[in-house]
Every structure is written in structure tokens, then in C-alpha cells.
Amino acid sequence: MEEEAASNNQILDEKIYVAVGINVWKNISNLLWALKNSQGNKICILHIHHPSPTIPLLGTRFEASTVDEESLRAYREKEKAKIDKILQKYLSICLYKGVQAEKLCIEMDSIGKGIVETIYQHRIRKFVMGAAADKHYSMKMEDLKSKKANFVCQQAPATCQIHFTCKGNLIHTREARVDEVRALSVLLSEFQRLVLPQLSSGSLEEAASLNGQSNRSSMDIISSDTLSNTGRAEVTISQDQEEPDDSSSQIFPCRGMRLDVISFLIKSAMLWQKLTIQNHDHSE
């Protein structure tokens, strides 16, 4: 009960991350929507800073790679100070609205990739960003007009709920698919418990002998740590000889397996199909 209560409190205290740009008045509508719908949660202002590739010097601009280290460092410090001043304006808006807020600035060349990477690293569960510039808003607007928004929608982890807004209006919500992810985690645990022992005990070799195979097979299975990180198991069968083209000599891995193992494999295939369909729907 205590663990469940702690989990509920963690969800209630979960921060809402809001992506903002350097132009406050062009991004304020997204922030205001997040503040209005924060439901008491803390706000985190996220800015992906793309360092300028050129540096102003002697009345012109030079490639950053050609400028001396001291001049480059001085200019980067000015950039950071300017960004910090802008983010303070966003924090002042949050303070005025009576919502607790903090700021986070990440440097990356690609804003879209920076957002996705930040969601992964900080395990963000709730995120708000623009679907398009405010000037593109219309009453019938339902699609994401921004390339960055489309990229984030497709590439962000499934556990993150993302609200896409435009001119203070919610355009699209990509719901988090936590249940499917948890179910997949359970299936992976079952894979390690049911399937791996059978593979290591030589069930494939028994299946091969039942089908008239004389070739000896060995399997290299990735570690459980890799299973938990990537959600996939890669199985490689290496044989001393090439398998003949005759279909009668093919190996049927299900022969010799227990019913609970076969049932697990069927459930795994169904779940993967469901996730694939959902990912396809979101990418359209």
C-alpha cells in the first residue's frame, strides 16, 4: 500500500516539460496552454540551443571552426547569457500564473533530435510543444505542420504523452502507450524464464534430429541486459554445413516445446503486431 501511494504521489508530482524557442512572444501561447492544463504539476521550460555555426568578428562573420579559441569561448558565453535571460522571462510568466517552474537548456545541432534525446534521458512522461507556428492556425487544423513536431511524434519513446498545440489550442495528442510497454516487459521476462532454458538444453538439436538433420546447431543469444534495454532478442544459428534446399529437412522449432512456451510465443507475436500497427497509425 505504501509503495502504491508513493507511486501515485510521484505521478501527481510529475513535471510537464514545455519546449520553447528564443522568441518569447511566438512561443508564449504553447506555454500558456501548458500552464492552464498543468493541474498543479510543476512546469519545466525546455530549450534546445543550436549554437551558431558562425561568429561575428571584425565586422563580418567567420565559421566557428576558423575562429581562435578565446574569441569563440567569449562568444559562446554571450550566447548562453542571452539564452538564460530569455528563459528567465518564461519563468517569470509561470511565476505570474502561480505555477512552479524550472528551466532546462540542452545544446544540440538538431532541435528535433535534441527533444527526443532529452525525453529519453530524463524519462519525460508529459511533454508540450508546438504543432506549427501560430500564423498557420485554423479552426479545422488537425495535422502537425511542423517537421520537428512530426519527427518528435514518430521518434519519442512510447511512454511519453505529447500534446501538440498551436496558438493556444490543442491540435493533437499522442497518448503514451504504457500498458503495451509494460506488457512487453513482462513477455520479455517470460522469454528468459521459459524459452532460454529450452534453447540452452538443446531443444533445437532434438528438433533437428526429428527432422532427419545431422547438422549440429549452436545459438548465440544476447544478454538479458540487452533484452531489457532494446526490447528485442537476436538469435543466430551457425551450422557446420549449408542446409539443403529440400523442404523436408527443414527444422521446426516448435516441436518438442511445452505448450506454455508456444502460448508465450503467440502472445509475443500478437503484441508486436499491435505495437507495429500503432506506430504505423502515428506515423501517418
Side-chain angles (χ1 to χ4, degrees), residues 8 14 47 53-54 65 71 85 126 150 206 213 222 228:
N8 291 336
E14 201 165 42
H47 175 69
T54 60
S65 58
S71 298
K85 188 175 180 179
K126 294 181 182 294
N150 274 296
E206 293 176 6
Q213 288 287 345
I222 60 177
S228 61

Side-chain angles (χ1 to χ4, degrees), residues 55 57 64 67-78:
I55 307 299
L57 196 64
V67 178
D68 64 276
E69 186 176 342
E70 185 177 349
S71 298
L72 179 61
R73 182 171 59 252
Y75 184 76
R76 293 303 186 210
E77 289 178 356
K78 288 182 180 179

Side-chain angles (χ1 to χ4, degrees), residues 81 130 214 265:
S214 59
L265 293 173

